[in-house]
Amino acid sequence: MPSTDFRQLMNEALRQRGAANHEEAVVLLEQALRLRPDHVRCRRHLARSLVRLERFDEALAQFTRLIELEPDAAFAHAGAAKCLDALGESEEAGTRYARAASLEPADPTHARRFGHHLVGQERYSDAAVQFSRACELEPGDARNFAGRALVARAIGDFASAAEQYRVAVGLEPDNPRYRRGLISCLIELGGVAEVLGHAQELARIDPGDVRGRVQLARALIGMDRFDEAASELREAAALPVADTAATLDVAKEFARLGLHQEALSLVHAITVEDPKFRDARILQA
């Protein structure tokens, strides 16, 4: 028989959320809400657990009710925006992101999330404003500078993107995502020597990253260090195949070095794993 003790239900629900048991947490929180339908904290926890479970329709309903209960609660508008984005309701999502940012203008999280939404809508100038605002509010958060870099890359300004990624890497030196972004920009700019340094660091940070190994190999090829490039590619080829597209990149670099047998061996492994992988079939031909 379900418990009728609100506090007991809440405590157990929070324990389940803390253990990432969101399915169980949702059951308990729904029971608790039946006892106290207007309890904001309970409904907020329910909405967030539903988001974690990617039950966005249900989560949106909870955030919508929270907005009715507390119209000026920025978290409710931001939560609704995330759900709307996931459901493909981009225009309404933008309205909610903007509302959250206006309600809590000193919170960089709202500006950053709004910026990412605007990038998705290809509204790059507006996105740049939001990311710049986030950088001003929280200059120690690498994510804000990575957002700026994302905008610059989208409009083809690789020099500016590289500068922003350099800041992000400086703030979080062991974050592989920022180094990958910086390397991609440097390759576009022809900065081979700097690429090599960052690619070597990337291989150190995440030795199991196939794409990082490929970037390092490309940098070495650009410096005519072909034997070292081949060695890096062989190490990449020996890693577990988690990303067939990345493994195909290894095969392409082998072919670029004239190591066709090693390229074909990898392509064969890819097509055995995924016979319909078109790019692999093209390279094999």
Side-chain angles (χ1 to χ4, degrees):
M1 181 177 179
S3 173
T4 57
D5 185 325
F6 178 82
R7 181 172 295 180
Q8 181 183 12
L9 286 166
M10 278 293 290
N11 287 340
E12 180 59 19
L14 294 178
R15 191 181 72 80
Q16 294 293 340
R17 287 198 80 228
N21 296 327
H22 293 287
E23 291 278 7
E24 183 61 29
V26 164
V27 172
L28 294 164
L29 289 164
E30 286 176 337
Q31 290 178 28
L33 272 180
R34 283 194 283 271
L35 298 173
R36 294 177 64 176
D38 292 338
H39 195 279
V40 170
R41 182 164 168 260
C42 179
R43 196 173 290 277
R44 178 167 53 188
H45 284 303
L46 174 57
R48 288 174 172 168
S49 280
L50 288 167
V51 168
R52 289 295 188 92
L53 295 169
E54 299 185 358
R55 292 161 58 178
F56 295 112
D57 279 318
E58 295 168 76
L60 178 59
Q62 298 303 325
F63 283 121
T64 300
R65 178 57 182 150
L66 283 165
I67 292 169
E68 293 170 357
L69 293 169
E70 292 189 343
D72 293 336
F75 77 86
H77 291 277
K82 182 173 183 175
C83 295
L84 288 161
D85 247 347
L87 294 168
E89 300 289 341
S90 297
E91 186 174 346
E92 180 61 22
T95 300
R96 293 297 180 188
Y97 280 123
R99 180 62 174 151
S102 68
L103 287 167
E104 291 184 355
D107 188 337
T109 301
H110 298 313
R112 185 171 58 248
R113 289 176 178 171
F114 191 18
H116 280 292
H117 169 79
L118 292 166
V119 167
Q121 299 304 300
E122 298 184 1
R123 293 170 55 187
Y124 300 122
S125 296
D126 293 334
V129 170
Q130 294 302 318
F131 287 125
S132 292
R133 176 67 175 154
C135 288
E136 291 169 8
L137 291 168
E138 199 169 22
D141 192 326
R143 293 174 296 178
N144 301 328
F145 295 94
R148 271 180 166 175
L150 186 65
V151 172
R153 284 180 72 179
I155 62 174
D157 187 353
F158 296 106
S160 295
E163 284 305 312
Q164 296 305 313
Y165 276 128
R166 285 190 186 99
V167 176
V169 167
L171 290 167
E172 290 188 25
D174 288 343
N175 187 315
R177 186 161 57 92
Y178 302 148
R179 283 196 190 270
R180 287 190 203 102
L182 176 55
I183 290 168
S184 294
C185 293
L186 291 170
I187 288 171
E188 293 289 341
L189 295 167
V192 176
E194 192 180 353
V195 167
L196 181 60
H198 286 293
Q200 288 171 331
E201 273 298 291
L202 185 57
R204 179 192 64 79
I205 293 164
D206 189 1
D209 178 24
V210 173
R211 290 189 184 278
R213 295 280 180 180
V214 170
Q215 286 181 317
L216 177 50
R218 285 171 177 163
L220 289 164
I221 290 169
M223 299 177 77
D224 296 337
R225 291 162 64 175
F226 303 119
D227 289 343
E228 292 170 79
S231 178
E232 289 297 333
L233 290 172
R234 289 182 183 113
E235 287 194 32
L239 294 170
V241 180
D243 182 345
T244 51
T247 305
L248 181 61
D249 285 340
V250 178
K252 287 177 179 177
E253 297 306 316
F254 271 134
R256 186 178 166 197
L257 287 171
L259 301 171
H260 299 293
Q261 192 57 49
E262 289 177 88
L264 285 170
S265 178
L266 268 185
V267 170
H268 176 72
I270 294 169
T271 53
V272 167
E273 184 74 22
D274 184 359
K276 295 181 180 179
F277 199 84
R278 180 174 176 273
D279 288 346
R281 288 291 185 190
I282 292 171
L283 183 61
Q284 191 175 39

